[in-house]
Amino acid sequence: MATDGPVVQVRGEATREVPPELARFAVTVTARGRDREATLTQLAERAAAVRVLLDASEPAVARREAGDLWVRPQTKRSGERVVGWLGSVTTTVTVTDFTALGELMLRLADQDQVEVAGPWWELRPDSPAYREARHAAISDALLRAREYAEALGARVTALIELADSGPGDRPMFARAAFDVGGAGGGAPELELDPRPQTVQAAVQARFTISDPVLG
């Protein structure tokens, strides 16, 4: 786009660390047996026990999603004769109440043939943190443009172009610590430290400025 007068192009950036809003973890139930039907029945019973625990944990559990379900035969190395069956089903759980997270994960892990993995901390897709970071990046671009203009004895007069130029958000991982109770024993406790989420935004902006004073 053609412009009249000098132009300054800048990059505005913003980085914010905010508390997570969601925690996700995976619950995998397995069953193993020599009989196919018995293995499937056992898998269904264990999955039902997990569902009961999750039902009892509402409304802390915001969402649950069924994942991979598979059942496969186990054979001897020397041939194709089936000697057993192995089955597994995974559910991904989303929690919003972090005070209940550790206890829920421990209760699930205490079930027979249940594996729990996570948590993974996240922000909601529509979190205000993203909007605030974008606004801060625009403010940073305008500030830089004004600084360049002032150094030339000029001032910013108009915006020509503004575009996203962000690197995206960094994935955040979980930190967890186990406390197996005090000196007197007791039920195990799981202490979880929510990992702050780093939100980044960047923009490219072009501004027109008044005629600089170069002398």
Side-chain angles (χ1 to χ4, degrees), residues 149 151-154 210-215:
L152 295 170
S210 60
D211 290 336
V213 179
L214 303 177

Side-chain angles (χ1 to χ4, degrees), residues 157-178:
T157 57
L159 172 66
I160 302 172
E161 183 180 12
L162 179 68
D164 277 331
S165 182
D169 305 311
R170 298 176 184 173
M172 292 290 111
F173 302 98
R175 294 185 299 173
F178 286 93

